Coordinates of all heavy atoms in Angstrom, one line a residue:
M168 N -18.2 -20.6 -7.5 CA -16.9 -20.2 -7.3 C -16.7 -18.7 -7.2 O -17.4 -17.9 -7.9 CB -16.1 -20.7 -8.6 CG -14.6 -20.5 -8.6 SD -13.9 -21.3 -10.0 CE -12.4 -20.4 -10.0
V169 N -15.8 -18.3 -6.2 CA -15.6 -16.9 -6.0 C -14.6 -16.5 -7.1 O -13.6 -17.0 -7.4 CB -15.0 -16.7 -4.7 CG1 -14.5 -15.3 -4.4 CG2 -15.9 -17.2 -3.4
P170 N -14.9 -15.4 -7.8 CA -14.0 -14.8 -8.8 C -12.7 -14.3 -8.2 O -12.6 -13.9 -7.0 CB -14.8 -13.7 -9.4 CG -15.7 -13.3 -8.4 CD -16.0 -14.6 -7.7
N171 N -11.6 -14.3 -9.0 CA -10.3 -13.8 -8.5 C -10.5 -12.2 -8.2 O -11.2 -11.6 -8.9 CB -9.3 -14.0 -9.5 CG -8.8 -15.5 -9.6 OD1 -9.1 -16.2 -8.7 ND2 -8.3 -15.7 -10.6
P172 N -9.8 -11.8 -7.2 CA -9.8 -10.3 -7.0 C -9.2 -9.5 -8.1 O -8.1 -10.1 -8.8 CB -9.0 -10.2 -5.7 CG -8.0 -11.4 -5.7 CD -8.9 -12.5 -6.4
L173 N -9.7 -8.5 -8.5 CA -9.2 -7.6 -9.6 C -8.3 -6.4 -9.1 O -7.5 -5.8 -9.8 CB -10.2 -7.1 -10.4 CG -11.1 -8.1 -11.1 CD1 -12.2 -7.5 -11.9 CD2 -10.2 -8.9 -12.1
A174 N -8.4 -6.1 -7.7 CA -7.8 -4.9 -7.2 C -7.3 -5.3 -5.8 O -7.7 -6.1 -5.1 CB -8.7 -3.7 -7.2
L175 N -6.2 -4.4 -5.5 CA -5.5 -4.7 -4.2 C -5.3 -3.4 -3.6 O -4.7 -2.5 -4.2 CB -4.1 -5.4 -4.4 CG -3.3 -5.7 -3.2 CD1 -4.0 -6.7 -2.3 CD2 -1.9 -6.1 -3.5
I176 N -5.8 -3.2 -2.3 CA -5.5 -2.0 -1.6 C -4.2 -2.2 -0.8 O -4.2 -3.1 0.0 CB -6.7 -1.7 -0.6 CG1 -8.1 -1.7 -1.3 CG2 -6.4 -0.3 0.2 CD1 -8.2 -0.5 -2.3
V177 N -3.3 -1.4 -1.2 CA -1.8 -1.5 -0.7 C -1.6 -0.5 0.4 O -1.2 0.6 0.1 CB -0.9 -1.4 -1.9 CG1 0.6 -1.7 -1.4 CG2 -1.3 -2.3 -3.0
E178 N -1.9 -0.8 1.6 CA -1.8 0.1 2.7 C -0.3 -0.1 3.2 O -0.1 -0.8 4.1 CB -2.8 -0.1 3.8 CG -2.9 0.9 4.8 CD -4.2 0.8 5.7 OE1 -5.3 1.2 5.2 OE2 -4.0 0.3 6.8
V179 N 0.7 0.6 2.6 CA 2.1 0.4 2.9 C 2.5 0.9 4.2 O 3.5 0.4 4.8 CB 2.9 1.0 1.8 CG1 2.7 0.2 0.4 CG2 2.6 2.4 1.5
T180 N 1.8 1.8 4.9 CA 2.2 2.4 6.1 C 1.1 3.1 6.7 O 0.1 3.5 6.1 CB 3.4 3.4 5.9 OG1 3.9 3.8 7.3 CG2 3.0 4.6 5.0
H181 N 1.1 3.2 8.1 CA 0.1 4.0 8.8 C 0.8 5.4 9.1 O 0.1 6.1 9.7 CB -0.4 3.3 10.0 CG -1.3 2.3 9.7 ND1 -1.6 1.1 10.5 CD2 -2.2 2.0 8.7 CE1 -2.4 0.3 10.1 NE2 -2.9 0.9 8.9
R182 N 2.0 5.5 8.8 CA 2.7 6.7 9.2 C 2.2 8.0 8.3 O 1.9 7.7 7.1 CB 4.3 6.6 8.9 CG 4.9 5.8 10.1 CD 6.4 5.6 9.6 NE 6.5 4.7 8.6 CZ 7.6 4.6 7.8 NH1 8.4 5.5 7.9 NH2 7.6 3.8 6.8
C183 N 2.1 9.0 8.9 CA 1.7 10.3 8.1 C 2.2 11.5 8.9 O 2.0 11.6 10.0 CB 0.1 10.2 8.0 SG -0.5 11.7 7.0
P184 N 2.6 12.5 8.2 CA 3.0 13.6 8.7 C 2.0 14.7 9.1 O 2.1 15.5 9.8 CB 3.9 14.3 7.8 CG 3.4 14.0 6.4 CD 2.9 12.5 6.8
L185 N 0.7 14.3 8.7 CA -0.5 15.3 8.9 C -1.2 14.7 10.1 O -1.0 13.6 10.7 CB -1.4 15.3 7.8 CG -0.7 15.9 6.5 CD1 -1.8 15.9 5.4 CD2 -0.1 17.2 6.7
H186 N -2.1 15.5 10.6 CA -2.9 15.0 11.9 C -4.4 15.5 11.7 O -4.8 16.3 12.5 CB -2.3 15.7 13.1 CG -0.8 15.4 13.4 ND1 -0.5 14.1 13.8 CD2 0.2 16.0 13.1 CE1 0.9 14.1 13.9 NE2 1.4 15.3 13.5
C187 N -4.9 14.9 10.7 CA -6.4 15.4 10.4 C -7.2 14.9 11.5 O -7.0 13.8 12.0 CB -6.8 14.6 9.1 SG -5.8 15.1 7.7
V188 N -8.1 15.7 11.9 CA -9.1 15.3 13.0 C -10.0 14.2 12.8 O -10.4 13.6 13.7 CB -9.8 16.6 13.5 CG1 -8.9 17.7 14.1 CG2 -10.7 17.2 12.4
Y189 N -10.2 14.1 11.5 CA -11.1 13.0 11.0 C -10.4 11.7 10.8 O -11.1 10.7 10.4 CB -11.9 13.3 9.9 CG -11.1 13.7 8.8 CD1 -10.7 12.9 7.9 CD2 -10.9 15.1 8.5 CE1 -9.8 13.3 6.8 CE2 -10.1 15.6 7.4 CZ -9.5 14.6 6.6 OH -8.8 15.0 5.5
C190 N -9.1 11.6 11.0 CA -8.3 10.4 10.6 C -8.7 9.1 11.4 O -8.9 9.1 12.7 CB -6.8 10.6 10.8 SG -5.8 9.3 10.2
S191 N -9.0 8.1 10.7 CA -9.3 6.8 11.2 C -8.1 5.9 11.3 O -8.3 4.7 11.6 CB -10.5 6.2 10.6 OG -10.1 6.0 9.2
N192 N -6.9 6.4 10.9 CA -5.7 5.6 10.8 C -5.2 5.2 12.2 O -5.1 6.0 13.1 CB -4.6 6.4 10.1 CG -3.8 5.5 9.3 OD1 -3.9 4.3 9.3 ND2 -2.7 6.0 8.7
P193 N -4.9 4.1 12.4 CA -4.6 3.5 13.9 C -3.0 3.8 14.0 O -2.3 2.9 14.1 CB -4.8 2.1 13.8 CG -4.6 1.6 12.4 CD -5.1 2.9 11.6
L194 N -2.8 5.1 14.1 CA -1.4 5.6 14.2 C -0.6 5.0 15.4 O 0.6 4.6 15.3 CB -1.2 7.1 14.3 CG -1.9 7.9 13.1 CD1 -1.8 9.3 13.5 CD2 -0.8 7.6 11.9
E195 N -1.2 4.7 16.5 CA -0.5 4.2 17.6 C -0.5 2.8 17.6 O 0.3 2.2 18.5 CB -1.3 4.6 19.0 CG -2.7 4.0 19.1 CD -3.8 4.4 18.3 OE1 -3.5 5.4 17.6 OE2 -5.0 3.9 18.2
L196 N -1.2 2.1 16.6 CA -1.1 0.6 16.5 C -0.2 0.0 15.7 O 0.3 -1.1 15.8 CB -2.6 0.1 16.1 CG -3.7 0.5 17.2 CD1 -5.0 0.0 16.6 CD2 -3.5 0.0 18.5
A197 N 0.3 0.8 14.7 CA 1.2 0.3 13.6 C 2.3 1.1 13.3 O 2.1 1.9 12.5 CB 0.3 -0.1 12.4
G198 N 3.4 0.9 14.0 CA 4.7 1.7 13.8 C 5.4 1.1 12.8 O 5.0 0.1 12.0
V199 N 6.5 1.7 12.4 CA 7.4 1.1 11.3 C 7.8 -0.3 11.5 O 7.7 -1.1 10.5 CB 8.7 2.0 11.2 CG1 9.7 1.4 10.3 CG2 8.4 3.4 11.0
Q200 N 8.0 -0.7 12.7 CA 8.3 -2.0 13.0 C 7.3 -3.1 12.7 O 7.6 -4.3 12.4 CB 8.9 -2.2 14.5 CG 7.8 -2.1 15.5 CD 7.5 -0.7 15.8 OE1 8.1 0.3 15.3 NE2 6.6 -0.6 16.8
S201 N 6.1 -2.7 12.5 CA 5.0 -3.7 12.2 C 4.6 -3.7 10.7 O 3.8 -4.4 10.3 CB 3.9 -3.4 13.0 OG 3.3 -2.1 12.8
E202 N 5.3 -2.8 9.9 CA 5.0 -2.8 8.4 C 5.6 -4.0 7.8 O 6.6 -4.4 8.2 CB 5.4 -1.4 7.9 CG 4.9 -0.2 8.4 CD 5.4 1.1 7.9 OE1 6.4 1.0 7.1 OE2 5.0 2.2 8.3
L203 N 4.9 -4.4 6.7 CA 5.5 -5.3 5.8 C 6.8 -4.7 5.3 O 7.0 -3.6 4.8 CB 4.6 -5.7 4.7 CG 3.2 -6.5 5.1 CD1 2.5 -6.9 3.9 CD2 3.5 -7.6 6.1
S204 N 7.8 -5.7 5.0 CA 9.1 -5.4 4.4 C 8.9 -5.2 2.9 O 8.0 -5.6 2.4 CB 10.1 -6.5 4.8 OG 9.8 -7.6 4.2
T205 N 10.0 -4.7 2.3 CA 10.0 -4.8 0.9 C 9.8 -6.1 0.2 O 9.0 -6.3 -0.7 CB 11.4 -4.2 0.3 OG1 11.6 -2.9 0.9 CG2 11.3 -3.9 -1.2
A206 N 10.5 -7.1 0.8 CA 10.3 -8.4 0.2 C 8.9 -9.0 0.5 O 8.5 -9.8 -0.3 CB 11.5 -9.4 1.0
E207 N 8.4 -8.7 1.6 CA 7.1 -9.2 1.9 C 6.0 -8.7 1.0 O 5.1 -9.2 0.4 CB 6.6 -8.9 3.3 CG 7.5 -9.9 4.3 CD 7.4 -9.4 5.9 OE1 7.2 -8.2 6.0 OE2 7.6 -10.3 6.7
W208 N 6.1 -7.3 0.6 CA 5.2 -6.6 -0.3 C 5.4 -7.2 -1.6 O 4.5 -7.5 -2.4 CB 5.4 -5.2 -0.2 CG 4.5 -4.5 0.8 CD1 5.0 -3.6 1.8 CD2 3.1 -4.4 0.9 NE1 3.9 -3.2 2.6 CE2 2.8 -3.8 2.0 CE3 2.1 -5.0 0.1 CZ2 1.4 -3.5 2.4 CZ3 0.7 -4.9 0.5 CH2 0.4 -4.0 1.6
T209 N 6.7 -7.4 -2.0 CA 6.9 -8.0 -3.3 C 6.3 -9.3 -3.5 O 5.7 -9.7 -4.6 CB 8.5 -8.1 -3.6 OG1 9.1 -6.9 -3.4 CG2 8.9 -8.8 -4.8
S210 N 6.3 -10.2 -2.5 CA 5.7 -11.4 -2.4 C 4.2 -11.3 -2.7 O 3.6 -12.0 -3.3 CB 6.0 -12.3 -1.1 OG 5.4 -13.4 -1.2
V211 N 3.6 -10.3 -1.9 CA 2.1 -10.1 -2.0 C 1.8 -9.8 -3.5 O 0.9 -10.3 -4.0 CB 1.9 -8.9 -1.1 CG1 0.4 -8.5 -1.4 CG2 1.8 -9.4 0.4
F212 N 2.7 -9.0 -4.1 CA 2.3 -8.4 -5.5 C 2.4 -9.6 -6.5 O 1.7 -9.9 -7.4 CB 3.3 -7.4 -5.9 CG 3.1 -6.1 -5.3 CD1 4.1 -5.5 -4.6 CD2 1.8 -5.7 -5.1 CE1 4.0 -4.3 -3.9 CE2 1.7 -4.4 -4.3 CZ 2.7 -3.7 -3.8
Q213 N 3.4 -10.5 -6.2 CA 3.7 -11.7 -7.0 C 2.5 -12.6 -6.9 O 2.0 -13.1 -7.9 CB 5.0 -12.3 -6.7 CG 6.2 -11.5 -7.2 CD 7.5 -12.2 -6.6 OE1 7.6 -12.9 -5.5 NE2 8.6 -11.8 -7.1
Q214 N 2.1 -12.8 -5.8 CA 1.0 -13.8 -5.4 C -0.4 -13.1 -6.0 O -1.2 -13.8 -6.7 CB 0.8 -14.1 -4.0 CG 1.9 -14.8 -3.3 CD 1.7 -14.9 -1.9 OE1 0.7 -15.2 -1.4 NE2 2.8 -14.5 -1.1
S215 N -0.6 -11.9 -5.9 CA -1.8 -11.1 -6.4 C -1.8 -11.2 -7.8 O -2.8 -11.4 -8.5 CB -1.8 -9.8 -5.9 OG -1.8 -9.7 -4.5
G216 N -0.6 -11.0 -8.5 CA -0.4 -11.0 -10.0 C -0.9 -12.4 -10.5 O -1.6 -12.5 -11.5
K217 N -0.6 -13.6 -9.7 CA -0.9 -14.8 -10.2 C -2.4 -15.0 -10.1 O -3.0 -15.9 -10.8 CB -0.1 -15.9 -9.4 CG 1.4 -15.9 -9.7 CD 2.2 -16.8 -8.9 CE 3.7 -16.9 -9.2 NZ 4.4 -17.6 -8.2
L218 N -3.1 -14.2 -9.3 CA -4.3 -14.4 -9.0 C -5.3 -13.5 -10.1 O -6.5 -13.6 -10.1 CB -4.9 -14.0 -7.6 CG -4.5 -14.9 -6.5 CD1 -4.8 -14.4 -5.2 CD2 -5.2 -16.3 -6.7
G219 N -4.6 -12.8 -10.8 CA -5.2 -11.9 -11.8 C -5.5 -10.5 -11.4 O -6.2 -9.9 -12.1
M220 N -4.7 -10.0 -10.4 CA -5.0 -8.7 -9.8 C -4.6 -7.7 -11.0 O -3.5 -7.9 -11.7 CB -4.1 -8.4 -8.8 CG -4.2 -7.0 -8.2 SD -3.0 -6.5 -6.9 CE -1.4 -6.7 -7.8
L221 N -5.3 -6.7 -11.3 CA -5.1 -5.8 -12.4 C -4.8 -4.4 -11.8 O -4.1 -3.6 -12.6 CB -6.4 -5.6 -13.2 CG -6.8 -6.9 -14.1 CD1 -8.1 -6.6 -14.7 CD2 -5.7 -7.3 -15.0
H222 N -5.1 -4.1 -10.6 CA -5.0 -2.8 -10.1 C -4.6 -2.8 -8.7 O -5.0 -3.5 -7.8 CB -6.4 -2.1 -10.1 CG -6.5 -0.7 -9.7 ND1 -7.2 -0.3 -8.5 CD2 -5.8 0.3 -10.2 CE1 -7.0 1.0 -8.4 NE2 -6.3 1.4 -9.3
A223 N -3.4 -2.0 -8.4 CA -2.9 -1.8 -7.1 C -3.1 -0.4 -6.7 O -2.7 0.6 -7.4 CB -1.3 -2.1 -7.0
H224 N -3.8 -0.2 -5.6 CA -4.1 1.1 -5.1 C -3.1 1.4 -3.9 O -3.5 0.8 -2.8 CB -5.5 1.3 -4.7 CG -6.0 2.6 -4.1 ND1 -6.8 3.4 -4.9 CD2 -5.7 3.2 -3.0 CE1 -7.0 4.5 -4.2 NE2 -6.4 4.4 -3.0
F225 N -2.1 2.2 -4.0 CA -1.3 2.7 -2.9 C -1.9 3.6 -2.0 O -2.2 4.7 -2.4 CB 0.1 3.0 -3.4 CG 1.0 1.9 -3.9 CD1 0.7 1.4 -5.1 CD2 2.0 1.5 -3.2 CE1 1.5 0.3 -5.5 CE2 2.9 0.5 -3.6 CZ 2.6 -0.2 -4.8
T226 N -1.9 3.3 -0.7 CA -2.5 4.2 0.3 C -1.7 4.0 1.6 O -0.9 3.3 1.8 CB -4.0 4.0 0.4 OG1 -4.4 5.0 1.2 CG2 -4.3 2.7 0.9
G227 N -2.2 4.8 2.6 CA -1.8 4.7 3.9 C -2.7 5.2 4.9 O -3.9 5.1 4.7
G228 N -2.3 6.1 5.8 CA -1.1 6.8 6.0 C -0.6 7.4 4.6 O -1.3 7.6 3.7
E229 N 0.7 8.0 4.6 CA 1.3 8.6 3.5 C 2.3 7.6 2.9 O 3.3 7.4 3.5 CB 2.0 9.8 4.0 CG 2.8 10.6 2.9 CD 2.1 10.6 1.5 OE1 1.0 11.3 1.4 OE2 2.5 10.0 0.6
P230 N 2.0 7.0 1.7 CA 2.9 6.1 1.1 C 4.3 6.7 0.9 O 5.3 5.9 1.0 CB 2.2 5.8 -0.3 CG 0.7 6.1 0.0 CD 0.7 7.2 1.0
L231 N 4.5 8.0 0.7 CA 5.8 8.5 0.6 C 6.7 8.5 1.9 O 7.8 8.7 1.8 CB 5.8 9.9 0.0 CG 5.3 10.2 -1.5 CD1 5.1 11.5 -1.8 CD2 6.4 9.5 -2.2
A232 N 6.1 8.1 3.0 CA 6.8 7.8 4.1 C 7.7 6.6 4.1 O 8.5 6.5 4.8 CB 5.9 7.7 5.5
R233 N 7.4 5.6 3.0 CA 8.3 4.6 2.8 C 9.4 4.9 1.9 O 9.2 5.4 0.8 CB 7.4 3.4 2.0 CG 6.3 2.9 2.9 CD 6.6 1.8 3.9 NE 7.4 0.7 3.3 CZ 7.2 -0.6 3.5 NH1 6.2 -0.9 4.4 NH2 8.0 -1.5 3.0
T234 N 10.6 4.7 2.4 CA 11.7 5.0 1.6 C 12.0 4.0 0.4 O 12.7 4.2 -0.5 CB 13.0 5.0 2.5 OG1 13.2 3.6 3.0 CG2 13.1 6.0 3.4
D235 N 11.3 3.0 0.5 CA 11.3 2.0 -0.6 C 10.1 2.0 -1.4 O 9.9 0.9 -2.2 CB 11.4 0.5 0.1 CG 10.2 0.1 0.9 OD1 9.4 1.1 1.2 OD2 10.0 -1.1 1.3
L236 N 9.5 3.1 -1.6 CA 8.2 3.2 -2.3 C 8.5 2.8 -3.8 O 7.6 2.2 -4.5 CB 7.5 4.5 -2.2 CG 6.2 4.8 -3.0 CD1 5.1 3.8 -2.3 CD2 5.6 6.1 -2.8
T237 N 9.5 3.3 -4.4 CA 9.9 3.1 -5.8 C 10.0 1.7 -6.0 O 9.6 1.2 -7.1 CB 11.0 3.9 -6.3 OG1 12.1 3.6 -5.5 CG2 10.8 5.4 -6.3
E238 N 10.7 0.8 -5.0 CA 10.9 -0.6 -5.2 C 9.5 -1.3 -5.2 O 9.2 -2.2 -5.9 CB 11.7 -1.1 -4.2 CG 13.1 -0.5 -4.2 CD 13.9 -1.0 -3.0 OE1 14.2 -2.2 -2.9 OE2 14.2 -0.2 -2.1
L239 N 8.7 -0.7 -4.3 CA 7.3 -1.3 -4.1 C 6.4 -1.2 -5.4 O 5.8 -2.0 -5.9 CB 6.5 -0.8 -2.9 CG 7.2 -1.0 -1.5 CD1 6.3 -0.4 -0.5 CD2 7.4 -2.5 -1.3
I240 N 6.5 0.0 -6.0 CA 5.9 0.3 -7.2 C 6.3 -0.6 -8.4 O 5.6 -1.0 -9.2 CB 5.9 1.9 -7.5 CG1 5.1 2.7 -6.5 CG2 5.5 2.1 -9.0 CD1 5.3 4.2 -6.6
A241 N 7.6 -0.7 -8.5 CA 8.3 -1.5 -9.4 C 7.9 -2.9 -9.4 O 7.6 -3.6 -10.4 CB 9.8 -1.4 -9.5
A242 N 7.7 -3.4 -8.2 CA 7.3 -4.8 -7.9 C 5.9 -5.0 -8.4 O 5.6 -5.9 -8.9 CB 7.5 -5.1 -6.4
A243 N 5.0 -4.0 -8.0 CA 3.7 -4.0 -8.5 C 3.5 -4.0 -9.9 O 2.7 -4.7 -10.5 CB 2.8 -3.0 -7.7
R244 N 4.3 -3.1 -10.6 CA 4.2 -3.1 -12.1 C 4.7 -4.3 -12.7 O 4.1 -4.8 -13.6 CB 5.1 -1.9 -12.5 CG 4.5 -0.5 -12.2 CD 3.2 -0.2 -13.1 NE 3.6 -0.2 -14.5 CZ 2.8 -0.7 -15.4 NH1 1.7 -1.3 -15.2 NH2 3.2 -0.7 -16.7
S245 N 5.7 -4.9 -12.2 CA 6.2 -6.1 -12.8 C 5.3 -7.3 -12.5 O 5.3 -8.3 -13.3 CB 7.6 -6.4 -12.2 OG 7.5 -6.8 -10.8
A246 N 4.4 -7.3 -11.7 CA 3.4 -8.2 -11.4 C 2.1 -8.0 -12.3 O 1.2 -8.8 -12.3 CB 3.0 -8.3 -9.9
G247 N 2.2 -6.9 -13.0 CA 1.1 -6.7 -14.1 C 0.0 -5.6 -13.5 O -1.0 -5.6 -14.2
S248 N 0.5 -4.9 -12.6 CA -0.7 -4.0 -11.9 C -0.7 -2.6 -12.7 O 0.3 -2.1 -12.9 CB -0.4 -3.8 -10.5 OG -0.7 -5.1 -9.8
I249 N -2.0 -2.1 -12.7 CA -2.1 -0.7 -13.0 C -2.0 0.0 -11.6 O -2.6 -0.5 -10.7 CB -3.4 -0.4 -13.7 CG1 -3.5 -1.1 -15.1 CG2 -3.7 1.1 -13.8 CD1 -4.9 -1.2 -15.7
L250 N -1.4 1.1 -11.5 CA -1.1 1.7 -10.2 C -2.0 2.9 -10.0 O -2.4 3.7 -10.9 CB 0.3 2.2 -10.1 CG 1.3 1.0 -10.3 CD1 2.7 1.6 -10.0 CD2 1.1 -0.2 -9.3
Q251 N -2.4 3.2 -8.8 CA -3.0 4.4 -8.3 C -2.5 4.8 -6.9 O -2.2 3.8 -6.3 CB -4.6 4.2 -8.2 CG -5.3 5.4 -7.8 CD -6.8 5.2 -7.8 OE1 -7.3 4.2 -8.3 NE2 -7.5 6.2 -7.3
R252 N -2.4 6.0 -6.8 CA -1.9 6.4 -5.4 C -2.8 7.4 -4.8 O -3.2 8.3 -5.3 CB -0.5 7.0 -5.6 CG 0.1 7.5 -4.4 CD 1.6 8.0 -4.4 NE 1.9 8.7 -3.2 CZ 1.6 9.9 -2.9 NH1 0.9 10.6 -3.6 NH2 2.0 10.4 -1.7
T253 N -3.0 7.3 -3.5 CA -3.7 8.3 -2.8 C -2.7 9.0 -1.7 O -2.0 8.4 -1.1 CB -4.8 7.7 -1.8 OG1 -5.7 6.9 -2.6 CG2 -5.5 8.7 -1.0
S254 N -2.6 10.3 -2.0 CA -1.6 11.1 -1.3 C -2.2 11.5 0.2 O -3.4 11.2 0.5 CB -1.2 12.4 -2.0 OG -2.4 13.2 -2.1
D255 N -1.5 12.2 0.9 CA -2.0 12.7 2.2 C -3.4 13.3 2.1 O -4.3 13.0 2.9 CB -1.1 13.8 2.7 CG 0.1 13.3 3.5 OD1 0.0 12.2 3.9 OD2 1.0 14.1 3.6
S256 N -3.6 14.2 1.2 CA -4.8 15.0 1.2 C -5.9 14.1 0.5 O -7.2 14.5 0.5 CB -4.6 16.2 0.4 OG -4.2 16.0 -0.9
G257 N -5.5 13.0 0.0 CA -6.5 12.1 -0.7 C -7.2 11.1 0.1 O -8.0 10.3 -0.3
C258 N -6.8 11.2 1.5 CA -7.5 10.1 2.5 C -8.9 10.4 2.5 O -9.5 11.5 2.5 CB -6.8 10.2 3.8 SG -5.2 9.6 3.8
Ligands
SF4_18 S1 -3.7 12.6 5.5 FE1 -4.9 10.7 5.8 S2 -3.6 9.3 7.0 FE2 -2.8 11.4 7.2 S3 -3.7 12.2 9.0 FE3 -4.9 12.8 7.4 S4 -6.6 11.4 7.2 FE4 -4.9 10.5 8.4

C-alpha cells in the first residue's frame, strides 16, 4: 500500500516580476487564466487534508502575485497544514 502524502507543493502561480536567467518557470505557458481559482485550491486543500497532508509549501512563480493568497493560506491552515513559503529569491 502506498502511504498517504505528507506534503503538498502549492504552485499557486507562474507569474513573477523577476526575470532570473536560470528560471525554469514556464511563464509563457501558464498565464492568469490557467491558474486554479480560490475555490479550486480550497478543494485541493480539503482533499489533501483528508489524505493526511501535514505540510503545504507555497511557491510559484511569486505567490504574492495572487491577490487571494491570504484566503489560500487560510484554507490550507483550516485543512490542518503547516505552511512554508518560498519567495521570489527563494526559487
Ligand atoms: S524568482 Fe523564481 S520564478 Fe521568479 S524569475 Fe526568478 S527563478 Fe523564476
Side-chain angles (χ1 to χ4, degrees):
M168 183 173 160
V169 177
N171 288 342
L173 298 178
L175 179 69
I176 304 297
V177 185
E178 195 169 279
V179 291
T180 183
H181 286 154
R182 289 176 284 153
C183 182
L185 302 182
H186 303 282
C187 303
V188 295
Y189 53 83
C190 185
S191 60
N192 214 3
L194 295 172
E195 72 285 354
L196 298 177
V199 173
Q200 65 280 358
S201 62
E202 295 176 357
L203 294 184
S204 68
T205 309
E207 289 168 329
W208 273 118
T209 298
S210 176
V211 168
F212 294 131
Q213 290 169 344
Q214 293 174 54
S215 300
K217 289 177 183 171
L218 289 173
M220 178 191 67
L221 299 175
H222 182 238
H224 181 113
F225 280 73
T226 186
E229 171 48 61
L231 285 171
R233 294 278 304 225
T234 57
D235 61 349
L236 185 61
T237 56
E238 294 172 71
L239 299 180
I240 290 170
R244 286 291 298 138
S245 68
S248 295
I249 298 168
L250 304 178
Q251 180 177 354
R252 179 182 172 273
T253 299
S254 66
D255 273 339
S256 59
C258 289

